[in-house]
Amino acid sequence: MALAHIRPRAAVAALPLAIPVALAAGGLLVPLAYLALRAFEADLATVEELVLRRRNAELLRNTLLLAAALVVTTTAIALPLAMLTVRTDLPARRLFDVLLTLPLAIPGYVGAFVILAATGPGGLYPLPRPSGFWGALIVLTLITYPYQYLSLRAALLGVDPALEESARSLGRGRLAAFLSVTLPQLRPALLGGGLLVALHAIADFGTVSLLRYETYSFAIYLQYSAAFDRTYAAWLALLLVALTALLLAGDWLLLRRLRLARTGTGAPRRRRPTRLGRWEPVAVAAAALPPLVAVVLPLVALLDLASRFPAGHAAGLREAFGNSVTAAGAAAAMSVAVALPIAFTAARARLPGAQAVERLAYVGYAVPPLAFALAWVFFTLRAAPALYGSLPLLVFALSLHVLSEAMGPVRAAVRQASPRLEESARTLGAGPVKTFVRVTLPIVWRGAAAGGALAFIGAVKELPITLILAPLDFSTLATRMFSYTQDAMFAEAAPFALAIVGLSACFVGVLLWTERTFSS
Amino acid sequence: MDGTHLLELRGIRKRFGANEVLRGLDLTVERGETLALVGPSGCGKTTLLRIIAGLEQPDSGEVILDGRVLASPRGSVPPERRRVGLVFQEYALFPHLDVAANVAFGIPRGVDKRRRVAELLDLVGLSGAERRMPHELSGGQQQRVALARTLAAEPVLVLLDEPFSNLDAGLRARVREDVLRILRTAGITAIVVTHDQKEALSLPGRVAVLIEGQIAQVGTAEEVYRRPATRAVAEFVGEANFLPVTRIRDGIIEFELGCFRSPTPPGGRFDVMLRPEELALAADGIPARVVGLNYFGHDQLITLALPSGTTVRVRTLGPGRPEPGSTVGVRVAGEPRLVAER
């Protein structure tokens, strides 16, 4: 009998998947581990002195205060808005869905810039200029409430109206039924959205440093840029990471308890929308206010300031634009190249814990970018000095930071590419390579493009990692704008901010296009 | 090896975690036949197809096709070099390719693709559908495109996994006729997997019954129905009554409703089996009490308690519905036989 083409059994195509997965895991975890090592290099007395400083308590109090206040303000805005768009006959609800999430496109430092440049005496908006805590809270509220809004909106859509109806038939009034039946069901969504908002507050760097509110991030940057006591900076970064980990763990514990307490929901019937009647104009105004304040007013201010842009700076703008596109483009491509194998491993590998690999991508999202960048500084200075301040390092760190953004659409696309299709191709005579090129790739490429667009937007907007890891003469739109703003050169800064917003808008266009072709 | 076997499976074992799906399975498929592979859900049918196609590796055992060892403990031929076609239950048409491109996907090099696609679409009755996309086709049309696509790769064996289960009942009979005609015209050896025993019995070729990871019986539809090898086969392919043997004397088997001559199977427990249509109501029969009645229109199934307490089911046609609780007579109207417990 002929033994034709027999191949020995091997782990199925393990290597092409394992390398990117290991790259992501190593890139995220090794610098953080090194950060801890670096921090504990100091002798015990120094550590005690560094950690138990009065200033640390102040920083902790400031950081937690901002996070807590932000969760309250964003929820206070998002819950009524979600109720309006989900449960009432608000006109143009689809449009409001889009408008209400637009503020996500405004980076925090742009918001802070608008407050500094356009309020106060002589500003375009002659209002008292908020700064410190209140300034940071206002800016962060306006740009992060969409996280809570999207989370609550999804949860409200999933609530079975029959539950509230049965509460009504059991004798509860409209408000009592909402409070006793619906609100408890929203708790997981409130926690989920609240976590995102709080993570944002803890990790935020641009807003707090421009508005001079001393949180961990701000203090770390001060240490890094001015004093640069490395051990103290390492400790602050480590404490910031620890705070993030505590928050995640607490949220996970709370959420787990809630999940256990819930029963199956099934596919709820659609609820009849509540009629707004004569309240309709008020409701429309209320729903239009957040996007107006968070997007329209800043854009008007930016345009107004940009009209006074000194023409001599145009070359700098062009150069920064090119640098931003280069760095963000490379980072986006790299994050997609890493996200694809991770999604495949999670979807296909018959290994226990394969899904955990996917969650790894979200570590990059949760780790405060400033701490992450600092960890890379320490790590490369020790392990690979040639990498320090090099473009490849910046691109790699950025790609890990935006990996979770690329992950979403890529994951959905990979789930769509049924293994049956690839198996069909194999039985039709196509080898693994031909199968990937002719079957898998055409099915997942739109998801990959959408993930790449999201990652690109994230990388263009990113500030602290770029600020710390970029090569000396390499300035991007974000870093140029930040330094002009610090020097109160508002007219010079404005076009950079506009360019960032414009680039983001272009890629939102790509995103909408891929979604359209997806659904056809 | 004699020349008529196309596929030979020897001692195939496959385990997923703690669950042993295939337990030393042996099967041979003759050249040119259409074999129906039938078994209850979860008996390992799909796993077996995937092993033959090369999408899973057996833990032990051998797959031999046309004299080539495709899988053995020493290694395995990858699916693309086996020349085994597999039509998936959900068809798995490539959603980004039109009908012509789907069919052309597996056409070997050196063949005039356009002509071959036209020929195959003509064979499956879909000429003119070249430019249509899979989502624009009905279930039956998708099924036929999938079949044309599989045939285009010039396989020596075609496997069809539950080919009719995604179609509604009205369409199923017609698509089945179409598919069988296409396979016959192509002159190709095929294994058709189904969990529906009626469908398996109505297919033209032999039937292999897969129960608990082993082939319990292979034979014509009539053999499997009339002479099931085990009690499990008997129960899977249709309704069956089992009655205990009361005495064996001189090769005569005695049981509650009569006696017959039969050699006794070697070893193990065995019972007398009669299908419900092999019993009849008769005034001069053995008295039995009516304990249940299921009326189906063109026939009815009557449950009777015999004097010993054993219950049997009798299928009758036409009018005459006995009252539950009343006493009727029952007699054997067919051929009783012995069926082993396992």
Side-chain angles (χ1 to χ4, degrees):
Chain A
M1 268 183 299
L3 275 165
H5 306 303
I6 290 247
R7 280 185 200 166
R9 284 167 207 186
V12 184
L15 215 58
L17 293 184
I19 290 173
V21 173
L23 207 62
L28 286 167
L29 302 178
V30 169
L32 291 180
Y34 185 75
L35 185 66
L37 266 176
R38 179 74 181 74
F40 281 100
E41 261 175 14
D43 60 276
L44 208 65
T46 319
V47 167
E48 212 176 290
E49 195 272 325
L50 286 177
V51 175
L52 299 180
R53 254 178 222 193
R54 245 188 88 80
R55 186 169 151 75
N56 282 355
E58 264 170 45
L59 292 176
L60 181 65
R61 198 205 59 182
N62 283 353
T63 308
L64 289 179
L65 189 67
L66 182 64
L70 192 60
V71 171
V72 172
T73 54
T74 52
T75 308
I77 293 181
L79 184 58
L81 284 176
M83 295 286 291
L84 267 183
T85 58
V86 173
R87 296 201 146 189
T88 71
D89 62 346
L90 186 76
R93 265 174 296 170
R94 300 287 298 272
L95 178 66
F96 274 114
D97 270 343
V98 177
L99 288 181
L100 284 169
T101 50
L102 270 187
L104 281 180
I106 306 289
Y109 52 87
V110 172
F113 163 81
V114 170
I115 284 210
L116 290 175
T119 63
L124 180 64
Y125 309 121
L127 303 161
R129 173 181 302 166
S131 69
F133 173 77
W134 293 107
L137 182 62
I138 290 171
V139 169
L140 289 176
T141 300
L142 284 171
I143 62 167
T144 59
Y145 82 83
Y147 292 116
Q148 188 67 290
Y149 168 74
L150 289 172
S151 175
L152 287 172
R153 183 178 178 277
L156 272 175
L157 283 171
V159 169
D160 189 343
L163 293 174
E164 208 168 304
E165 283 164 5
S166 50
R168 296 289 300 279
S169 74
L170 292 169
R172 300 285 172 96
R174 193 191 282 251
L175 183 67
F178 177 76
L179 292 179
S180 63
V181 174
T182 307
L183 203 57
Q185 293 187 70
L186 296 181
R187 276 186 305 185
L190 281 167
L191 270 176
L195 174 72
L196 285 178
V197 167
L199 284 177
H200 211 94
I202 291 178
D204 175 76
F205 161 72
T207 317
V208 292
S209 53
L210 286 180
L211 295 174
R212 311 244 138 217
Y213 179 63
E214 299 210 342
T215 63
Y216 273 119
S217 295
F218 182 49
I220 293 170
Y221 186 66
L222 274 188
Q223 283 306 317
Y224 175 80
S225 61
F228 209 22
D229 175 347
R230 283 196 187 163
T231 312
Y232 186 42
W235 267 106
L236 284 176
L238 197 62
L239 290 173
L240 183 58
V241 172
L243 187 62
T244 306
L246 272 178
L247 199 67
L248 287 171
D251 190 78
W252 181 74
L253 281 175
L254 283 172
L255 213 58
R256 199 179 56 154
R257 278 237 312 277
L258 287 180
R259 289 252 167 79
L260 287 176
R262 276 173 75 190
T263 57
T265 51
R269 193 163 48 82
R270 281 306 289 264
R271 189 179 191 281
R272 269 254 301 284
T274 306
R275 302 205 37 176
L276 286 168
R278 62 203 171 88
W279 291 99
E280 192 182 286
V282 182
V284 169
L289 195 61
L292 179 76
V293 176
V295 180
V296 179
L297 293 187
L299 278 183
V300 171
L302 285 177
L303 287 170
D304 171 56
L305 286 160
S307 66
R308 281 174 262 150
F309 181 61
H313 286 61
L317 181 60
R318 267 198 302 278
E319 188 201 328
F321 188 87
N323 286 348
S324 273
V325 170
T326 308
M334 179 144 188
S335 67
V336 171
V338 172
L340 269 172
I342 289 181
F344 269 105
T345 310
R348 302 282 176 81
R350 287 198 211 132
L351 299 167
Q355 267 83 26
V357 176
E358 217 167 43
R359 250 164 265 150
L360 188 73
Y362 296 91
V363 173
Y365 178 82
V367 175
L370 196 63
F372 187 57
L374 217 54
W376 269 108
V377 169
F378 291 137
F379 179 65
T380 49
L381 279 180
R382 173 67 63 91
L387 272 180
Y388 174 72
S390 73
L391 192 58
L393 177 64
L394 173 65
V395 168
F396 185 52
L398 275 179
S399 75
L400 291 175
H401 176 64
V402 296
L403 184 57
S404 63
E405 319 224 12
M407 207 66 210
V410 164
R411 195 177 138 180
V414 167
R415 294 271 193 281
Q416 262 192 347
S418 154
R420 296 291 100 75
L421 295 173
E422 285 154 34
E423 289 170 355
S424 272
R426 295 296 296 276
T427 63
L428 292 169
V433 174
K434 184 181 170 192
T435 300
F436 182 76
V437 172
R438 291 210 36 207
V439 176
T440 316
L441 210 55
I443 294 172
V444 302
W445 86 267
R446 285 201 186 96
L454 276 177
F456 183 87
I457 296 173
V460 163
K461 284 164 54 182
E462 204 289 325
L463 176 65
I465 293 178
T466 316
L467 212 50
I468 290 184
L469 293 182
L472 266 181
D473 53 349
F474 189 87
S475 57
T476 66
L477 292 171
T479 57
R480 270 288 177 94
M481 190 212 143
F482 184 72
S483 54
Y484 280 137
T485 309
Q486 276 189 317
D487 300 340
M489 297 164 73
F490 299 133
E492 285 80 356
F496 290 86
L498 275 176
I500 292 169
V501 175
L503 265 180
S504 301
C506 287
F507 276 78
V508 169
V510 173
L511 212 63
L512 291 175
W513 171 74
T514 56
E515 252 169 35
R516 173 117 30 95
T517 32
F518 241 138
S519 53
S520 75
Chain B
M1 176 181 244
D2 73 70
T4 61
H5 289 346
L6 179 70
L7 176 73
E8 192 174 354
L9 304 175
R10 289 186 190 157
I12 303 287
R13 288 184 178 276
K14 182 70 182 177
R15 172 186 290 282
F16 293 111
N19 180 20
E20 190 167 34
V21 180
L22 298 175
R23 306 173 179 188
L25 177 144
D26 299 306
L27 180 67
T28 53
V29 179
E30 311 297 325
R31 205 175 291 276
E33 79 169 321
T34 303
L35 179 85
L37 180 67
V38 66
S41 298
C43 69
K45 301 181 297 279
T46 298
T47 304
L48 182 61
L49 281 201
R50 293 173 61 82
I51 284 176
I52 299 171
L55 301 171
E56 301 277 356
Q57 310 312 324
D59 297 335
S60 62
E62 289 187 326
V63 178
I64 302 160
L65 180 73
D66 215 0
R68 285 166 79 209
V69 177
L70 296 184
S72 77
R74 272 166 302 171
S76 166
V77 176
E80 64 269 21
R81 313 185 92 156
R82 292 193 168 202
R83 302 192 63 196
V84 173
L86 173 57
V87 180
F88 283 90
Q89 187 172 0
E90 59 271 39
Y91 317 135
L93 295 179
F94 303 127
H96 58 293
L97 300 178
D98 64 15
V99 167
N102 262 286
V103 173
F105 190 93
I107 293 179
R109 243 173 244 151
V111 176
D112 179 350
K113 289 202 176 178
R114 187 177 302 185
R115 232 181 81 192
R116 188 76 183 121
V117 168
E119 276 170 22
L120 283 161
L121 287 181
D122 184 46
L123 174 68
V124 300
L126 281 171
S127 292
E130 282 86 349
R131 293 275 84 82
R132 295 174 70 186
M133 297 304 284
H135 67 263
E136 299 170 336
L137 303 176
S138 71
Q141 290 171 326
Q142 290 186 24
Q143 163 80 274
R144 283 181 281 158
V145 173
L147 194 55
R149 181 179 70 173
T150 301
L151 293 175
E154 298 176 9
V156 295
L157 171 68
V158 170
L159 313 171
L160 298 103
D161 190 5
E162 301 276 4
F164 314 114
S165 66
N166 275 346
L167 304 168
D168 55 61
L171 206 57
R172 204 173 297 168
R174 228 191 60 216
V175 173
R176 188 165 55 215
E177 290 315 307
D178 285 345
V179 167
L180 291 173
R181 176 187 57 78
I182 294 163
L183 291 174
R184 208 166 41 237
T185 315
I188 200 145
T189 313
I191 299 178
V192 180
V193 155
T194 172
H195 66 276
D196 180 347
Q197 83 283 2
K198 282 192 195 126
E199 189 168 275
L201 296 180
S202 72
L203 290 174
R206 292 190 304 157
V207 177
V209 185
L210 179 56
I211 288 176
E212 290 182 346
Q214 288 183 320
I215 298 292
Q217 188 171 8
V218 189
T220 64
E222 189 165 8
E223 277 166 8
V224 169
Y225 187 76
R226 294 280 157 217
R227 307 222 153 270
T230 66
R231 186 170 176 143
V233 174
E235 286 179 324
F236 180 71
V237 298
E239 290 262 1
N241 294 305
F242 296 96
L243 292 148
V245 174
T246 49
R247 194 156 65 155
I248 304 175
R249 202 171 48 182
D250 304 334
I252 307 282
I253 314 292
E254 293 180 14
F255 69 111
E256 197 171 1
L257 295 177
C259 57
F260 60 101
R261 177 175 291 278
S262 166
T264 54
R269 261 185 56 80
F270 45 84
D271 287 307
V272 177
M273 187 200 79
L274 282 160
R275 298 279 179 199
E277 65 274 17
E278 294 172 327
L279 291 173
L281 298 186
D284 59 345
I286 300 205
R289 197 160 45 83
V290 178
V291 295
L293 186 88
N294 294 85
Y295 186 68
F296 297 114
H298 82 292
D299 65 336
Q300 57 191 340
L301 210 51
I302 306 162
T303 310
L304 301 175
L306 297 179
S308 67
T310 311
T311 58
V312 293
R313 308 245 252 171
V314 181
R315 191 183 303 279
T316 65
L317 300 173
R321 300 174 64 179
E323 282 292 311
S326 63
T327 300
V328 295
V330 60
R331 67 173 175 81
V332 174
E335 182 196 347
R337 58 270 182 202
L338 294 175
V339 170
E341 181 87 2
R342 6 189 356 108

